[in-house]
Structures are given as C-alpha cells and as structure tokens.
Amino acid sequence: LDPSEVVVPEALNEDEALTGLWRDLRAPVTPLGRDGVDGAAAERRVLEWFGVATLDSFGAFSRAEIAAAGAALLYVERT
C-alpha cells in the first residue's frame, strides 16, 4: 500500500508502541478524536448523513464497520 494519508483514532496516534510505525510511513497521519470513532456517535452521524431512522435497509453491519463509516464521514465533513 502507498497511502497518501492515514486516518487513525487519536488513541492509536498517541500509542508509544506505534510511534515508529507512524514515523516510517511516507504519509501524514491524521488523528480523529473519540467523537469520530465512538460507536454511538458514528451511528448517529451515518443516520443523519443519509437522512434515515435506521441502517436496516443498508444491510447488516458490525459495530466496527459503523464506526469506520462514521469516522470517514467525520473526516469528509472536516476536510
């Protein structure tokens, strides 16, 4: 992979065990605060973005998939 940017939860960005990984990447690392990856907040963001009351019509999603979708939408909104 040759990403042009990596978006990660703030907690991972601050994890000292991963400092070397972030430094070795040839791409900027953009941290998202907890509001960007929290499951409940992410689900609300996806619901609001698509103007729906539930995600049922989109199929079955895991909590991690919903969190990732919410984080992606937050990133798009911020940039």
Side-chain angles (χ1 to χ4, degrees), residues 8-79:
V8 299
E10 200 168 65
L12 284 179
N13 188 54
E14 295 172 353
D15 187 334
E16 291 182 19
L18 299 174
T19 301
L21 174 65
W22 305 140
R23 186 178 46 247
D24 293 343
L25 285 176
R26 293 190 176 117
V29 176
T30 302
L32 282 182
R34 181 159 179 81
D35 65 320
V37 294
D38 173 67
E43 184 169 358
R44 280 192 306 275
R45 184 173 291 109
V46 173
L47 292 172
E48 290 172 6
W49 183 270
F50 289 105
V52 296
T54 72
L55 298 177
D56 295 341
S57 63
F58 294 104
F61 293 101
S62 70
R63 298 304 301 166
E65 290 168 329
I66 294 170
L73 289 174
L74 177 63
Y75 177 78
V76 168
E77 290 171 348
R78 287 186 179 175
T79 59

